[in-house]
């Protein structure tokens, strides 16, 4: 999955989260978007997996 596909999937998830949890704001979900690469780095550090492996796992979640 390329960056655009990951972002598209995130937009779908973000919309569902905002519907389910009405108190989420655009700022809340935008903050999470900006931290995606940082999150991947932390997952990589903790699991010892490559970023590509982690992205693939996210794709199939």
């Amino acid at each position: 999955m390329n960056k655009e596909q990951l972002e598209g999937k995130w937009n779908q998830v973000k919309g569902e989260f905002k519907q389910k949890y009405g108190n989420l704001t655009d700022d809340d979900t935008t903050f999470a978007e900006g931290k995606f690469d940082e999150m991947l780095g932390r997952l990589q550090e903790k699991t010892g997996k490559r970023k590509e492996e982690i992205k693939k796992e996210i794709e199939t979640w």
Side-chain angles (χ1 to χ4, degrees):
M1 185 176 276
N2 63 34
K3 184 177 180 179
E4 287 79 21
Q5 290 170 316
L6 281 172
E7 288 176 4
K9 188 168 186 174
W10 171 245
N11 285 333
Q12 291 175 356
V13 171
K14 178 173 64 171
E16 291 175 20
F17 266 75
K18 287 168 77 176
Q19 287 176 18
K20 186 172 183 178
Y21 304 102
N23 61 339
L24 285 179
T25 66
D26 286 334
D27 288 342
D28 294 328
T29 56
T30 302
F31 175 79
E33 286 177 43
K35 294 292 187 174
F36 187 74
D37 284 336
E38 181 181 338
M39 178 195 70
L40 285 178
R42 289 181 183 202
L43 289 172
Q44 183 180 18
E45 183 180 325
K46 301 262 181 180
T47 64
K49 293 182 177 183
R50 296 186 341 248
K51 284 186 180 182
E52 293 78 23
E53 291 175 295
I54 296 169
K55 285 181 182 180
K56 186 162 185 79
E57 192 169 334
I58 291 170
E59 289 172 26
T60 59
W61 206 288

